[in-house]
Amino acid sequence: MAAQADPREGLRFGRIPVTNVQPVLEGGKFPAKGIRGADVRVSAVVFREGHDVLGATAVLFAPDGSEGQRARMRPGAKGSDAWEGVLTPSTEGNWSFAVEGWTDLYATWAHNAQVKINADVDVDVMLAEGALLLGNAAKAAKSAAPEAAKVFKAAAATLADPSLNTNDRLAGGTSREVRAAVEHFPLRDLVTSSERFPLLVERDAAGRGAWYEFFPRSEGAMRHPETGEWTSGNFRTARHRLPAVAAMGFDVLYLPPIHPIGTINRKGPNNTLVAGPADPGSPWAIGSADGGHDAIHPDLGSLADFEAFVAAANELDLEIALDLALQCAPDHPWATEHPEWFTTRVDGTIAYAENPPKKYQDIYPLNFDNDPTGLSHEILRIVRLWIERGVRIFRVDNPHTKPVWFWEWLIGTINAERPDIVFLAEAFTRPAMMAALGRAGFQQSYSYFTWRNTKEELEEYLVHVSRDSAGYFRPNFFVNTPDILTEYLQYGGPAGFKIRAILAAMSNPLWGMYAGYELYEHVARPGSEENIDNEKYEFKDRDFAAAEAAGSSLAPFVTLLNRIRRAHPALLDLQNLSLHESSDPATLVFSKHKNIAATATEPARKDTIIVVINVDPHSMREGEVTLDLDALSLDGLSPDGTFLVEDLVTGATWNWGKKNYFRLDAHLEPAHILHIRR
């Protein structure tokens, strides 16, 4: 008789279905994103026929294919069959992960035994099955988990002891010690694994950091009172500002384009169409007779000056992020040498950039369709050149106006050579494009945070970026830019600036600010969201030290925020945010929690921060906070159910519990930043 085929071969479902594994991008076509030492939230839907109890495990595989970690997953909402767990990759590289579903033999037996013995049904059989199960578990765990094996052996003996009454025998098999041992050494059957899915783990700067932006030409610029004309600052004078930026706790100093600026159609102050002979123009109008994207503006100094500036920043633990703006002034060398790299209109002219109603007559956008090979390789040459000059981070201007395939190719090529190079997408655009840029390789991106101001808006957005999109999108919460001065900041006063800084720095591992934020610069050009007398088109003379001495600077508070971030690892992960309830419609409450593994010198510990913040910059708010205690991973509560919190802003301490009163005056201290003291 011919052998029969195994009916299970070639099927899509395993013995226990494991479906909807996350974070998975397009079936694993693109890798999900991770950061060394940062928690990655893994979820799946796991189910089976019948009523046996299930378990699920998330398994992490190192770049060499070895098993790096396995984490027991917890069930989600009742009836959803959803499971969730946390994995923490320890090094950079191409990791992968899978989810295992399995029958939980112990939980199934314990449930059935309790029900049947309470009903006086199959009592002897259930006790005997438990003794057999735990006896076998003792043998299986003998070498892998000897302490658990001892517990299993003792419990099996108790279950099998006819001299004890039924309740004592059952209690011996379901004790707290047995359940703890099973947690450590689960009794699994019918283990079914999903396929492995890719997880790209990158260095800290790809997903953590505080960014500061300034224009080198303004740092050290001098205005001559007799003529009103300016002498540009340069890399040598800008070096004097570096210690102050580092002292505020920033990790990255972002420079707008440092290349020669075009003279044709140069913009004047406040984006006017006519520039005077002394107007410096917009740094984003790149290129002139002095060179293009591979050159340095003569006013800023030489290549040696730039390299010395980068070295001085690095000595202060500041990385330099350079703007990569793929566009040209009309007098850029490419405009005459490679007209095919632009769009020519029917009248023979090259089309300038437009974002209606904005017009950029001083900028020609690139066209990647006429000569994709030539243009792409020229840009690759430029990026490699600046990497040779010490740049490891690029802030990319308007990447959504270039083909996505180009970014996949460029970033993939560069990261294959240098995995440490980071690209930030300055992409305020449609969600689909922002998601595609993340998939294409951008390590991080500007975000919609800038325009999320109300409690409701913030709650929705924080959940989205920390859960829904975290696999492919790392948001950088910039509070302002040279182009963006929101109505909230225009009319929120100093309290508004303080609130937005707290929100950005405490809720997200990446945040940034543009120079002048600490001075509360809030006057907009009429009818726009841009600062009046915009630094994009002119020099700025700011006296940061005088403002701080006068007590009219936010810099000391920004320094405190960055100090808190560095002291609390929970604040530097993206996916560990939980929302809590507040009775007040303008008070947002969230927490961030991280389990920190033991090291050679430090024991394992927990780090938990709770932020209670009044997002209305014009009022005092009060009410009651209701905390989700499970999200805080509390243990060792006081007998009255309270725990000690310290306000990291004021130093005050309180005993908090599930429900807590708050009163926050936006003009005094708009937020509690609370650390749970263990």
Side-chain angles (χ1 to χ4, degrees), residues 112-262:
N112 292 341
Q114 193 74 60
V115 171
K116 289 190 174 185
I117 290 173
N118 286 347
D120 198 25
V121 175
D122 295 336
V123 173
D124 291 337
V125 172
M126 295 310 300
L127 293 173
E129 287 183 350
L132 178 63
L133 175 66
L134 292 176
N136 289 337
K139 296 174 185 177
K142 187 174 182 179
S143 58
E147 293 302 318
K150 293 177 184 178
V151 174
F152 294 150
K153 185 176 181 180
T158 300
L159 284 164
D161 188 349
S163 69
L164 300 176
N165 65 49
T166 298
N167 288 336
D168 287 343
R169 293 167 71 182
L170 180 61
T174 57
S175 68
R176 179 181 301 176
E177 291 76 16
V178 173
R179 293 182 184 277
V182 170
E183 184 75 16
H184 178 63
F185 190 85
L187 310 186
R188 311 193 309 163
D189 189 31
L190 303 177
V191 177
T192 307
S193 179
S194 71
E195 64 180 285
R196 294 189 187 184
F197 297 102
L199 176 67
L200 175 61
V201 180
E202 299 172 293
R203 71 183 182 102
D204 275 16
R208 296 171 171 145
W211 287 50
Y212 188 86
E213 175 183 2
F214 75 47
F215 286 63
R217 72 185 185 188
S218 287
E219 301 302 328
M222 293 187 298
R223 188 171 189 172
H224 303 284
E226 61 277 5
T227 64
E229 295 184 355
W230 290 83
T231 297
S232 174
N234 53 52
F235 288 122
R236 292 185 178 186
T237 59
R239 284 175 61 177
H240 298 300
R241 178 71 179 146
L242 293 177
V245 175
M248 283 190 286
F250 287 99
D251 307 294
V252 178
L253 175 62
Y254 154 50
L255 307 180
I258 59 173
H259 315 298
I261 297 173

Side-chain angles (χ1 to χ4, degrees), residues 204-337:
D204 275 16
R208 296 171 171 145
W211 287 50
Y212 188 86
E213 175 183 2
F214 75 47
F215 286 63
R217 72 185 185 188
S218 287
E219 301 302 328
M222 293 187 298
R223 188 171 189 172
H224 303 284
E226 61 277 5
T227 64
E229 295 184 355
W230 290 83
T231 297
S232 174
N234 53 52
F235 288 122
R236 292 185 178 186
T237 59
R239 284 175 61 177
H240 298 300
R241 178 71 179 146
L242 293 177
V245 175
M248 283 190 286
F250 287 99
D251 307 294
V252 178
L253 175 62
Y254 154 50
L255 307 180
I258 59 173
H259 315 298
I261 297 173
T263 57
I264 298 175
N265 295 337
R266 176 176 289 188
K267 293 294 186 72
N270 289 309
N271 201 26
T272 55
L273 294 177
V274 179
D279 289 327
S282 168
W284 283 272
I286 296 171
S288 72
D290 293 314
H293 286 75
D294 51 4
I296 293 173
H297 196 298
D299 288 351
L300 295 178
S302 65
L303 175 58
D305 292 332
F306 173 75
E307 291 176 336
F309 178 84
V310 173
N314 293 165
E315 288 176 4
L316 295 167
D317 293 325
L318 280 170
E319 286 201 58
I320 296 299
L322 186 63
D323 201 297
L324 180 63
L326 300 183
Q327 58 208 29
C328 300
D331 40 338
H332 191 293
W334 290 350
T336 53
E337 296 171 5

